[in-house]
Amino acid sequence: MAIRTDPVLGDADIAEVGALLADRARCRVLMALNDGRALSASVLADEAGVSRSTASGHLGRLTSAGLLRVETQGRHRYYRLAGRGVGELLEKLTEFAPARPVRSLREGTRAAQLRAARTCYDHLAGRLGVAIMAQLLREDYLEGGDGCYHPHRGGTDRVSAHGSDVDYALTPAGQRFLDQVGVRIPDGNRRLIRYCVDWSEQRHHLGGRLGRAVLEHFLAQQWIRRREVGRAVQVTTAGRAALAECFRITWD
């Protein structure tokens, strides 16, 4: 369904847009791309918590309407938000209907595993990544924001682009804490702390060099282990103990 424009007035057919976004599963597929990633249909289905056949139908309609674009790499097709205009549309809609954490993923599914703990680029995401960042903020190890997603801030597109509107900083107490835990931040020109909005929790988790250092430390200490397929990770028994002792996070 292509979104039509009146040739004289230039007004979008709001009814068609509303009908397109009226399906909850279709919106979940769309919002799974709200951090700017390009994902395959199978990964999108897992992250949105819908079947692959359901995702395929929704992707066709969203692409035909111009809300998504397809990027081809070899034999593979990836989907991404079509651009700034789509991000602005979603951002405006969330002002009227604020996003809530995803609560409908079935226990034991790959989507539920991704929601609990996963990698995002080179850092931790899911409930685990969000919990770690929230605790660092509560302990004043980080400063600069509250860890919540505020789509109304500023004038840039934070839905279809990577987050960069909140300047988080590591405090002296935070540096002492990292030294105590054994997290070593690599050198480089990359930003030290870059927030990334978690698609399921609608809160920030750590990116940048600090996020990468935390992930690498958790893997080296065997506090987490990668699952055989996909980006989901599993918190080990040692990891649960370390989260409780070092971060005051109860992981069940």
Side-chain angles (χ1 to χ4, degrees):
M1 178 187 69
I3 298 175
R4 295 193 300 270
T5 301
D6 188 288
V8 177
L9 300 179
D11 294 332
D13 189 334
I14 296 176
E16 288 193 8
V17 178
L20 185 69
L21 300 180
D23 187 287
R24 288 181 179 272
R26 191 176 302 139
C27 285
R28 283 164 60 182
V29 169
L30 188 63
M31 293 302 295
L33 296 169
N34 71 346
D35 61 359
R37 292 175 297 165
L39 300 178
S40 66
S42 59
V43 173
L44 256 175
D46 285 340
E47 297 210 358
V50 300
S51 69
R52 296 189 180 186
S53 60
T54 297
S56 178
H58 290 322
L59 287 170
R61 297 194 65 179
L62 291 169
T63 302
S64 297
L67 297 180
L68 298 181
R69 71 169 182 261
V70 181
E71 299 178 356
T72 303
Q73 298 183 21
R75 296 181 295 105
H76 303 287
R77 292 161 57 90
Y78 296 85
Y79 296 85
R80 187 192 297 275
L81 293 186
R84 180 183 178 87
V86 181
E88 291 175 344
L89 170 64
L90 296 178
E91 185 172 339
K92 182 59 64 175
L93 289 175
T94 58
E95 293 181 11
F96 297 98
R100 299 185 179 90
V102 177
R103 302 298 185 195
S104 58
L105 303 185
R106 298 189 303 277
E107 184 177 355
T109 62
R110 285 182 60 195
Q113 293 172 357
L114 283 166
R115 177 188 163 203
R118 68 182 185 279
T119 57
C120 179
Y121 306 103
D122 59 356
H123 52 271
L124 288 172
R127 287 193 293 110
L128 177 60
V130 166
I132 291 172
M133 185 165 191
Q135 186 60 22
L136 294 178
L137 288 166
R138 278 193 294 267
E139 297 290 337
D140 293 326
Y141 296 152
L142 297 180
E143 60 184 7
D146 60 6
C148 294
Y149 174 43
H150 299 288
H152 58 279
R153 280 182 176 167
T156 57
D157 175 15
R158 277 165 303 286
V159 180
S160 62
H162 303 306
S164 60
D165 66 319
V166 178
D167 292 323
Y168 290 104
L170 183 66
T171 66
Q175 185 61 68
R176 291 192 296 272
F177 169 74
L178 294 178
D179 291 340
Q180 178 182 354
V181 174
V183 174
R184 301 289 181 261
I185 302 175
D187 296 328
N189 296 326
R190 185 183 180 191
R191 190 171 180 173
L192 175 62
I193 303 170
R194 180 185 66 79
Y195 88 80
C196 188
V197 178
D198 186 85
W199 65 271
S200 58
E201 300 296 311
Q202 288 299 305
R203 288 179 64 86
H204 299 169
H205 52 82
L206 288 171
R209 287 185 289 126
L210 177 55
R212 175 184 174 185
V214 170
L215 171 61
E216 291 181 345
H217 186 69
F218 272 54
L219 287 170
Q221 297 299 312
Q222 298 185 343
W223 293 348
I224 59 173
R225 66 168 60 99
R226 298 182 187 274
R227 296 184 184 271
E228 294 182 1
V229 179
R231 295 184 297 116
V233 298
Q234 180 180 12
V235 179
T236 64
T237 300
R240 287 193 291 270
L243 285 171
E245 179 180 354
C246 301
F247 294 89
R248 302 181 186 177
I249 294 173
T250 301
W251 187 262
D252 48 21

